[in-house]
Amino acid sequence: MYFSRYLIYLLIPILFTACTGLKNTTVSSKEKPKILWFDSEANFKRFSSKDSICYYLDKAKGAGFNEIVVDVRPVQGDVLYKSEILEPLTGFGDGYEYKRDWDYLQFFIEEAHKRALKITVSASIMPVGLLHTKSGPAYRSKYWDDKISIGNTPEGLKNMKEMDYLGVFLNPNLSSVRTLVKSYVHEIVTNYDFDGFALDYCRFADVRFDFSDSSRVAFEKYIHKKVERFPEDIFSYNSKKERVPGKYYKEWWEFRAMTVRDIVRELKQVIKSRKPDMKLTYWAASWINGTYINGQNWASKGYFDAAKSYPEWATENYKNAGFADELDAFMVGAYLNDLYGMDNNESIEYALDRANKVIGKDTKVFGSLYALNHKENMADAVYLTLEKSAGLMVFDIVQVINFNLWDSIKKGIDRAESHEKI
């Protein structure tokens, strides 16, 4: 779902202690990636027209962007490229249907490259259905039934299709799922020539998932112990529906983070085996102290010792699940309202500093902005992000269009490239 990148910030507590000092960047702002994200759900009708795609690629180029991200597999699970594995996306179950007789992804690639815009292809890795419209592969075929995540809820174990999350996710612990996601990543990379691949939703859905029997078996193998009471030995709920940690609570988060790290590594191997020069990127929320519930330790090994700061959930070994070294770039979701404040853990400045510190030199950090947060100060937000990170990503073009932020973005980029201070 389109707003999920923003909503994650409403769900994650801000617990990280303050940091000081930003990592120096040596690359000129003129050379840094300046990326605009094209979400497929929010723009599905708009980009049913080739003319509209060309028009907005021109707008992106004119605003100073030099790269775009094109979403070709949203949470709904169908695809906007020619596939022999997955069904073509014709709508989101909201009443609007459009069946293309042309290749959406290939058209974007050709038109972006005509304008000297690099193009990264984004695919949602684990989702297979959109809950609020009950659309997507998970709702069409029983093939997916034994692969869908199971949730641990106060009312007991439930299939994800019966719950209230934004989409239906696959269980990352299943070897059949790992094989499947590698197959459609391989298909995209093999059949199209583009510049980068972005892993989106390459994680567990949230804290409740996955509690299937297969995950229990995988966890027991990981810890070399039998779990006598599952899921209670992980966590249960009290009368207020609050989580109550069990005996293997901390080991569970380590296990999940290791699982995601392994999947990122496997997908990197798939991509690089076909296109060695293709750049691999990954987006995640900036609050690394909260993304453990999704299995996302996007830091570098040794730079983020969670056990010291968060002993209530982190093991000593959790730090070894960091996957920054598997990436060519990390897009840190600094989807925050405040711009400055090194003593303010809700500021973009703080988020970029923290990301630079916990990643170190293992990969590049691109600051990403949620455009809706900056209707009045987009130029300043763009300038700050380019000054304090190795690149800029703006999510999403629909907000840039709706609030006419093109000139503000250009002003921020021009300011950064001229090194003019605010």
Side-chain angles (χ1 to χ4, degrees):
M1 180 179 287
Y2 171 65
F3 286 109
S4 59
R5 295 178 183 281
Y6 180 68
L7 290 175
I8 191 171
Y9 285 90
L10 303 180
L11 301 174
I12 297 174
I14 305 169
L15 302 171
F16 217 98
T17 54
C19 303
T20 57
L22 284 162
K23 178 182 176 182
N24 291 326
T25 55
T26 58
V27 178
S28 164
S29 291
K30 290 185 178 181
E31 300 171 348
K32 290 180 180 180
K34 293 167 280 285
I35 307 162
L36 181 59
W37 193 291
F38 287 61
D39 180 83
S40 61
E41 183 178 350
N43 299 283
F44 183 72
K45 187 172 183 178
R46 175 178 288 114
F47 295 146
S48 296
S49 160
K50 289 183 178 181
D51 287 345
S52 183
I53 291 172
C54 291
Y55 175 80
Y56 284 110
L57 286 174
D58 287 338
K59 293 286 285 184
K61 182 72 174 180
F65 291 104
N66 54 20
E67 298 189 22
I68 61 168
V69 174
V70 177
D71 172 24
V72 298
R73 186 174 189 269
V75 170
Q76 191 266 2
D78 292 330
V79 300
L80 288 162
Y81 61 90
K82 289 186 176 180
S83 175
E84 296 183 359
I85 302 169
L86 300 168
E87 294 292 323
L89 177 63
T90 59
F92 290 88
D94 58 2
Y96 179 77
E97 295 287 324
Y98 180 73
K99 295 182 179 180
R100 287 177 176 79
D101 58 2
W102 48 281
D103 190 328
Y104 181 87
L105 176 54
Q106 186 60 38
F107 186 79
F108 255 108
I109 292 170
E110 292 172 359
E111 294 301 320
H113 285 165
K114 284 180 185 178
R115 294 159 174 79
L117 291 166
K118 291 184 177 181
I119 182 167
T120 289
V121 172
S122 170
S124 295
I125 301 302
M126 291 298 162
V128 288
L130 194 59
L131 269 172
H132 76 284
T133 60
K134 301 291 189 293
S135 63
Y139 294 96
R140 287 198 305 264
S141 171
K142 292 183 178 180
Y143 168 80
W144 306 93
D145 287 355
D146 62 350
K147 300 173 181 62
I148 293 171
S149 283
I150 302 298
N152 177 9
T153 78
E155 294 77 32
L157 298 180
K158 289 186 178 182
N159 185 286
M160 199 168 185
K161 288 201 289 185
E162 301 170 2
M163 296 179 65
D164 59 354
Y165 198 62
L166 64 99
V168 179
F169 277 49
L170 299 172
N171 174 8
N173 290 313
L174 287 172
S175 59
S176 60
V177 167
R178 306 271 273 270
T179 298
L180 177 64
V181 300
K182 284 188 286 186
S183 71
Y184 50 72
V185 169
H186 180 271
E187 182 180 54
I188 299 170
V189 173
T190 300
N191 294 340
Y192 295 90
D193 292 320
F194 49 95
D195 304 291
F197 199 106
L199 303 178
D200 203 10
Y201 294 105
C202 183
R203 57 173 174 83
F204 290 86
D206 69 17
V207 68
R208 300 167 292 177
F209 308 99
D210 174 81
F211 281 83
S212 64
D213 285 341
S214 56
S215 290
R216 175 184 58 79
V217 171
F219 180 59
E220 289 175 339
K221 182 178 179 180
Y222 181 78
I223 64 173
H224 304 291
K225 294 178 182 178
K226 182 73 174 177
V227 179
E228 300 295 339
R229 299 169 62 251
F230 187 87
E232 292 84 0
D233 280 346
I234 310 302
F235 66 79
S236 56
Y237 294 90
N238 62 22
S239 60
K240 296 181 181 179
K241 298 186 177 182
E242 299 166 331
R243 288 200 309 275
V244 178
K247 63 190 295 186
Y248 298 122
Y249 186 72
K250 292 196 289 187
E251 289 84 355
W252 181 251
W253 307 122
E254 175 191 317
F255 160 69
R256 287 156 58 90
M258 292 292 185
T259 299
V260 172
R261 182 205 63 184
D262 290 347
I263 293 171
V264 171
R265 180 176 294 166
E266 290 169 12
L267 292 176
K268 175 186 178 180
Q269 291 171 351
V270 169
I271 293 166
K272 298 292 186 176
S273 68
R274 299 299 303 164
K275 303 283 176 63
D277 295 330
M278 184 169 287
K279 304 301 183 185
L280 177 64
T281 61
Y282 188 108
W283 183 96
S286 64
W287 288 329
I288 193 169
N289 54 300
T291 58
Y292 76 94
I293 65 173
N294 303 112
Q296 292 174 300
N297 181 0
W298 46 262
S300 297
K301 298 179 184 68
Y303 279 85
F304 177 50
D305 191 353
K308 289 184 178 179
S309 300
Y310 307 103
E312 65 275 13
W313 58 261
T315 63
E316 290 292 334
N317 195 43
Y318 181 86
K319 62 180 178 289
N320 293 319
F323 58 76
D325 60 339
E326 303 292 342
L327 307 174
D328 293 299
F330 172 66
M331 296 181 183
V332 59
Y335 289 6
L336 303 157
N337 292 303
D338 297 344
L339 300 186
Y340 290 94
M342 290 305 299
D343 58 349
N344 176 7
N345 59 7
E346 292 188 74
S347 75
I348 292 172
E349 183 180 30
Y350 180 97
L352 297 180
D353 175 76
R354 177 171 59 201
N356 281 321
K357 284 183 174 178
V358 301
I359 282 179
K361 297 181 180 180
D362 273 358
T363 194
K364 296 177 181 178
V365 175
F366 297 163
S368 65
L369 303 174
Y370 190 70
L372 186 62
N373 291 344
H374 305 293
K375 292 182 288 184
E376 306 299 330
N377 62 359
M378 178 56 86
D380 292 344
V382 165
Y383 170 82
L384 168 63
T385 303
L386 283 170
E387 283 289 289
K388 303 301 185 182
S389 73
L392 164 75
M393 189 275 276
V394 175
F395 185 89
D396 166 78
I397 188 173
V398 68
Q399 298 168 346
V400 177
I401 294 168
N402 289 347
F403 299 103
N404 194 23
L405 298 175
W406 301 104
D407 289 344
S408 296
I409 290 169
K410 188 177 190 311
K411 182 178 179 181
I413 291 173
D414 289 347
R415 183 188 298 160
E417 292 183 349
S418 67
H419 300 290
E420 176 187 343
K421 301 301 179 184
I422 293 178

